[in-house]
Amino acid sequence: MSAQPLPIAVLVSGTGTNLQALLDTVHAREAQVVAVASSAAGVPALARAAARDVPAEVFARADYPNRGARDEDLADWLHARGARLIVLAGYMALLSESFLQRFPGAVINVHPSLLPSFPGLHAIEQALAYGVKVFGVTVHFVDAGVDSGPVILQRAVELPGAHTPDEVLAALRPLEHALLPEAVRLFARGALRPDPEHPRRIVIDG
Ligand code: GRF
């Protein structure tokens, strides 16, 4: 583990339970949450940031002429706050390629399915509609596609009798809240690297 906590930013849009998990585990330890950016005003995630005195700002698409302008402002603010890892935790907006180029190899996301199954919106509903018996969570690097970047961590849970999104979500929440902080810990100690022979495959050192 590096001596100094890694400065990280968390991007949110809603409830913020994954943000809370980060604040309760890695914050002020392996990592320091230096910024919370929300795509929407008035969401519970912003109150969670305020409760821990973490600077938070709203970057709403409606306040900008286009997505690129919003993302440029967002990237400028995150850079100014010193963030070296950007964590998407329930962030419901797409990020432009120019944003990703500002933080190369340093944007990660948590998604409530076993990717590459069920990317995009309503992943749990997609999985239920398909009739799967095994559900799960993926933490991955973000690339220009939708939930298509290299996988960092995955965990599965067998729910052969699940019928409703709420019961699946209840089973996936604890997995998300364990996996996302774990991925941040690994990134903070420099333990994640692409396999040189197969760059999509992320090797975990140690
Ligand atoms: C999580 O299920 C996450 O996987 C998805 O959005 C949800 C966010 O929940 N990307 P919360 O705002 O962290 O409670």
mmCIF file with all atom_site columns, all heavy atoms in Angstrom, residues 14-18 89-90 110-112 169 173 176, ligand 1:
data_model
loop_
_atom_site.group_PDB
_atom_site.id
_atom_site.type_symbol
_atom_site.label_atom_id
_atom_site.label_alt_id
_atom_site.label_comp_id
_atom_site.label_asym_id
_atom_site.label_entity_id
_atom_site.label_seq_id
_atom_site.pdbx_PDB_ins_code
_atom_site.Cartn_x
_atom_site.Cartn_y
_atom_site.Cartn_z
_atom_site.occupancy
_atom_site.B_iso_or_equiv
_atom_site.pdbx_formal_charge
_atom_site.auth_seq_id
_atom_site.auth_comp_id
_atom_site.auth_asym_id
_atom_site.auth_atom_id
_atom_site.pdbx_PDB_model_num
ATOM   1   N N   . GLY A 1 14  ? -27.691 9.232  -7.794  1.00 0.00 ? 14  GLY A N   1
ATOM   2   C CA  . GLY A 1 14  ? -28.914 8.919  -7.052  1.00 0.00 ? 14  GLY A CA  1
ATOM   3   C C   . GLY A 1 14  ? -28.699 8.608  -5.595  1.00 0.00 ? 14  GLY A C   1
ATOM   4   O O   . GLY A 1 14  ? -28.219 9.424  -4.811  1.00 0.00 ? 14  GLY A O   1
ATOM   5   N N   . THR A 1 15  ? -29.012 7.363  -5.232  1.00 0.00 ? 15  THR A N   1
ATOM   6   C CA  . THR A 1 15  ? -29.053 6.970  -3.823  1.00 0.00 ? 15  THR A CA  1
ATOM   7   C C   . THR A 1 15  ? -27.691 7.031  -3.155  1.00 0.00 ? 15  THR A C   1
ATOM   8   O O   . THR A 1 15  ? -27.570 7.425  -1.992  1.00 0.00 ? 15  THR A O   1
ATOM   9   C CB  . THR A 1 15  ? -29.603 5.525  -3.719  1.00 0.00 ? 15  THR A CB  1
ATOM   10  O OG1 . THR A 1 15  ? -30.701 5.417  -4.609  1.00 0.00 ? 15  THR A OG1 1
ATOM   11  C CG2 . THR A 1 15  ? -30.066 5.216  -2.323  1.00 0.00 ? 15  THR A CG2 1
ATOM   12  N N   . GLY A 1 16  ? -26.671 6.564  -3.848  1.00 0.00 ? 16  GLY A N   1
ATOM   13  C CA  . GLY A 1 16  ? -25.323 6.705  -3.315  1.00 0.00 ? 16  GLY A CA  1
ATOM   14  C C   . GLY A 1 16  ? -24.914 5.670  -2.288  1.00 0.00 ? 16  GLY A C   1
ATOM   15  O O   . GLY A 1 16  ? -24.026 5.925  -1.469  1.00 0.00 ? 16  GLY A O   1
ATOM   16  N N   . THR A 1 17  ? -25.504 4.471  -2.340  1.00 0.00 ? 17  THR A N   1
ATOM   17  C CA  . THR A 1 17  ? -25.068 3.459  -1.361  1.00 0.00 ? 17  THR A CA  1
ATOM   18  C C   . THR A 1 17  ? -23.640 2.983  -1.657  1.00 0.00 ? 17  THR A C   1
ATOM   19  O O   . THR A 1 17  ? -22.902 2.629  -0.733  1.00 0.00 ? 17  THR A O   1
ATOM   20  C CB  . THR A 1 17  ? -26.017 2.248  -1.313  1.00 0.00 ? 17  THR A CB  1
ATOM   21  O OG1 . THR A 1 17  ? -26.011 1.581  -2.570  1.00 0.00 ? 17  THR A OG1 1
ATOM   22  C CG2 . THR A 1 17  ? -27.432 2.680  -0.955  1.00 0.00 ? 17  THR A CG2 1
ATOM   23  N N   . ASN A 1 18  ? -23.245 2.975  -2.929  1.00 0.00 ? 18  ASN A N   1
ATOM   24  C CA  . ASN A 1 18  ? -21.850 2.604  -3.237  1.00 0.00 ? 18  ASN A CA  1
ATOM   25  C C   . ASN A 1 18  ? -20.884 3.688  -2.790  1.00 0.00 ? 18  ASN A C   1
ATOM   26  O O   . ASN A 1 18  ? -19.787 3.384  -2.311  1.00 0.00 ? 18  ASN A O   1
ATOM   27  C CB  . ASN A 1 18  ? -21.697 2.307  -4.733  1.00 0.00 ? 18  ASN A CB  1
ATOM   28  C CG  . ASN A 1 18  ? -22.241 0.942  -5.090  1.00 0.00 ? 18  ASN A CG  1
ATOM   29  O OD1 . ASN A 1 18  ? -21.606 -0.074 -4.800  1.00 0.00 ? 18  ASN A OD1 1
ATOM   30  N ND2 . ASN A 1 18  ? -23.421 0.901  -5.680  1.00 0.00 ? 18  ASN A ND2 1
ATOM   31  N N   . ALA A 1 89  ? -20.104 5.386  -9.526  1.00 0.00 ? 89  ALA A N   1
ATOM   32  C CA  . ALA A 1 89  ? -20.866 4.609  -8.539  1.00 0.00 ? 89  ALA A CA  1
ATOM   33  C C   . ALA A 1 89  ? -22.339 4.945  -8.718  1.00 0.00 ? 89  ALA A C   1
ATOM   34  O O   . ALA A 1 89  ? -22.884 5.808  -8.034  1.00 0.00 ? 89  ALA A O   1
ATOM   35  C CB  . ALA A 1 89  ? -20.381 4.935  -7.123  1.00 0.00 ? 89  ALA A CB  1
ATOM   36  N N   . GLY A 1 90  ? -22.964 4.270  -9.693  1.00 0.00 ? 90  GLY A N   1
ATOM   37  C CA  . GLY A 1 90  ? -24.354 4.595  -9.991  1.00 0.00 ? 90  GLY A CA  1
ATOM   38  C C   . GLY A 1 90  ? -24.468 5.876  -10.786 1.00 0.00 ? 90  GLY A C   1
ATOM   39  O O   . GLY A 1 90  ? -25.482 6.571  -10.718 1.00 0.00 ? 90  GLY A O   1
ATOM   40  N N   . VAL A 1 110 ? -18.996 0.304  -11.455 1.00 0.00 ? 110 VAL A N   1
ATOM   41  C CA  . VAL A 1 110 ? -19.624 -0.911 -10.919 1.00 0.00 ? 110 VAL A CA  1
ATOM   42  C C   . VAL A 1 110 ? -20.938 -1.122 -11.650 1.00 0.00 ? 110 VAL A C   1
ATOM   43  O O   . VAL A 1 110 ? -21.714 -0.187 -11.847 1.00 0.00 ? 110 VAL A O   1
ATOM   44  C CB  . VAL A 1 110 ? -19.824 -0.828 -9.386  1.00 0.00 ? 110 VAL A CB  1
ATOM   45  C CG1 . VAL A 1 110 ? -20.711 0.345  -8.978  1.00 0.00 ? 110 VAL A CG1 1
ATOM   46  C CG2 . VAL A 1 110 ? -20.402 -2.131 -8.842  1.00 0.00 ? 110 VAL A CG2 1
ATOM   47  N N   . HIS A 1 111 ? -21.161 -2.387 -12.079 1.00 0.00 ? 111 HIS A N   1
ATOM   48  C CA  . HIS A 1 111 ? -22.347 -2.694 -12.891 1.00 0.00 ? 111 HIS A CA  1
ATOM   49  C C   . HIS A 1 111 ? -23.034 -3.939 -12.315 1.00 0.00 ? 111 HIS A C   1
ATOM   50  O O   . HIS A 1 111 ? -22.358 -4.935 -12.014 1.00 0.00 ? 111 HIS A O   1
ATOM   51  C CB  . HIS A 1 111 ? -21.927 -2.946 -14.338 1.00 0.00 ? 111 HIS A CB  1
ATOM   52  C CG  . HIS A 1 111 ? -23.094 -3.192 -15.240 1.00 0.00 ? 111 HIS A CG  1
ATOM   53  N ND1 . HIS A 1 111 ? -23.918 -2.174 -15.694 1.00 0.00 ? 111 HIS A ND1 1
ATOM   54  C CD2 . HIS A 1 111 ? -23.596 -4.342 -15.766 1.00 0.00 ? 111 HIS A CD2 1
ATOM   55  C CE1 . HIS A 1 111 ? -24.870 -2.693 -16.448 1.00 0.00 ? 111 HIS A CE1 1
ATOM   56  N NE2 . HIS A 1 111 ? -24.703 -3.998 -16.505 1.00 0.00 ? 111 HIS A NE2 1
ATOM   57  N N   . PRO A 1 112 ? -24.376 -3.905 -12.190 1.00 0.00 ? 112 PRO A N   1
ATOM   58  C CA  . PRO A 1 112 ? -25.066 -5.021 -11.529 1.00 0.00 ? 112 PRO A CA  1
ATOM   59  C C   . PRO A 1 112 ? -25.394 -6.206 -12.439 1.00 0.00 ? 112 PRO A C   1
ATOM   60  O O   . PRO A 1 112 ? -26.530 -6.674 -12.471 1.00 0.00 ? 112 PRO A O   1
ATOM   61  C CB  . PRO A 1 112 ? -26.332 -4.353 -10.986 1.00 0.00 ? 112 PRO A CB  1
ATOM   62  C CG  . PRO A 1 112 ? -26.629 -3.278 -11.967 1.00 0.00 ? 112 PRO A CG  1
ATOM   63  C CD  . PRO A 1 112 ? -25.291 -2.784 -12.475 1.00 0.00 ? 112 PRO A CD  1
ATOM   64  N N   . LEU A 1 169 ? -31.757 -7.111 -6.442  1.00 0.00 ? 169 LEU A N   1
ATOM   65  C CA  . LEU A 1 169 ? -30.974 -5.964 -5.983  1.00 0.00 ? 169 LEU A CA  1
ATOM   66  C C   . LEU A 1 169 ? -30.515 -6.158 -4.543  1.00 0.00 ? 169 LEU A C   1
ATOM   67  O O   . LEU A 1 169 ? -29.363 -5.878 -4.203  1.00 0.00 ? 169 LEU A O   1
ATOM   68  C CB  . LEU A 1 169 ? -31.807 -4.684 -6.112  1.00 0.00 ? 169 LEU A CB  1
ATOM   69  C CG  . LEU A 1 169 ? -31.079 -3.377 -5.827  1.00 0.00 ? 169 LEU A CG  1
ATOM   70  C CD1 . LEU A 1 169 ? -29.927 -3.167 -6.804  1.00 0.00 ? 169 LEU A CD1 1
ATOM   71  C CD2 . LEU A 1 169 ? -32.055 -2.199 -5.913  1.00 0.00 ? 169 LEU A CD2 1
ATOM   72  N N   . ARG A 1 173 ? -26.551 -5.911 -3.714  1.00 0.00 ? 173 ARG A N   1
ATOM   73  C CA  . ARG A 1 173 ? -26.020 -4.758 -2.978  1.00 0.00 ? 173 ARG A CA  1
ATOM   74  C C   . ARG A 1 173 ? -24.755 -5.088 -2.180  1.00 0.00 ? 173 ARG A C   1
ATOM   75  O O   . ARG A 1 173 ? -23.738 -4.414 -2.320  1.00 0.00 ? 173 ARG A O   1
ATOM   76  C CB  . ARG A 1 173 ? -27.081 -4.183 -2.025  1.00 0.00 ? 173 ARG A CB  1
ATOM   77  C CG  . ARG A 1 173 ? -28.104 -3.316 -2.684  1.00 0.00 ? 173 ARG A CG  1
ATOM   78  C CD  . ARG A 1 173 ? -27.475 -2.138 -3.312  1.00 0.00 ? 173 ARG A CD  1
ATOM   79  N NE  . ARG A 1 173 ? -28.422 -1.074 -3.566  1.00 0.00 ? 173 ARG A NE  1
ATOM   80  C CZ  . ARG A 1 173 ? -28.221 -0.137 -4.480  1.00 0.00 ? 173 ARG A CZ  1
ATOM   81  N NH1 . ARG A 1 173 ? -27.105 -0.149 -5.196  1.00 0.00 ? 173 ARG A NH1 1
ATOM   82  N NH2 . ARG A 1 173 ? -29.106 0.802  -4.659  1.00 0.00 ? 173 ARG A NH2 1
ATOM   83  N N   . GLU A 1 176 ? -21.782 -5.512 -4.439  1.00 0.00 ? 176 GLU A N   1
ATOM   84  C CA  . GLU A 1 176 ? -21.274 -4.229 -4.946  1.00 0.00 ? 176 GLU A CA  1
ATOM   85  C C   . GLU A 1 176 ? -20.472 -3.508 -3.871  1.00 0.00 ? 176 GLU A C   1
ATOM   86  O O   . GLU A 1 176 ? -19.389 -2.981 -4.139  1.00 0.00 ? 176 GLU A O   1
ATOM   87  C CB  . GLU A 1 176 ? -22.436 -3.315 -5.360  1.00 0.00 ? 176 GLU A CB  1
ATOM   88  C CG  . GLU A 1 176 ? -23.206 -3.787 -6.559  1.00 0.00 ? 176 GLU A CG  1
ATOM   89  C CD  . GLU A 1 176 ? -24.161 -2.737 -7.094  1.00 0.00 ? 176 GLU A CD  1
ATOM   90  O OE1 . GLU A 1 176 ? -24.608 -1.856 -6.315  1.00 0.00 ? 176 GLU A OE1 1
ATOM   91  O OE2 . GLU A 1 176 ? -24.456 -2.780 -8.278  1.00 0.00 ? 176 GLU A OE2 1
HETATM 92  C C1  . GRF B 2 .   ? -25.878 0.207  -8.524  1.00 0.00 ? 1   GRF B C1  1
HETATM 93  O O1  . GRF B 2 .   ? -26.688 -0.922 -8.628  1.00 0.00 ? 1   GRF B O1  1
HETATM 94  C C2  . GRF B 2 .   ? -24.807 0.178  -9.577  1.00 0.00 ? 1   GRF B C2  1
HETATM 95  O O2  . GRF B 2 .   ? -24.375 -1.105 -9.890  1.00 0.00 ? 1   GRF B O2  1
HETATM 96  C C3  . GRF B 2 .   ? -25.502 0.793  -10.750 1.00 0.00 ? 1   GRF B C3  1
HETATM 97  O O3  . GRF B 2 .   ? -26.316 1.811  -10.197 1.00 0.00 ? 1   GRF B O3  1
HETATM 98  C C4  . GRF B 2 .   ? -26.657 1.472  -8.847  1.00 0.00 ? 1   GRF B C4  1
HETATM 99  C C5  . GRF B 2 .   ? -26.270 2.622  -7.977  1.00 0.00 ? 1   GRF B C5  1
HETATM 100 O O4  . GRF B 2 .   ? -26.686 2.502  -6.661  1.00 0.00 ? 1   GRF B O4  1
HETATM 101 N N1  . GRF B 2 .   ? -24.534 1.233  -11.717 1.00 0.00 ? 1   GRF B N1  1
HETATM 102 P P1  . GRF B 2 .   ? -26.212 3.547  -5.551  1.00 0.00 ? 1   GRF B P1  1
HETATM 103 O O5  . GRF B 2 .   ? -26.576 4.953  -6.045  1.00 0.00 ? 1   GRF B O5  1
HETATM 104 O O6  . GRF B 2 .   ? -24.729 3.395  -5.351  1.00 0.00 ? 1   GRF B O6  1
HETATM 105 O O7  . GRF B 2 .   ? -26.991 3.197  -4.331  1.00 0.00 ? 1   GRF B O7  1
#
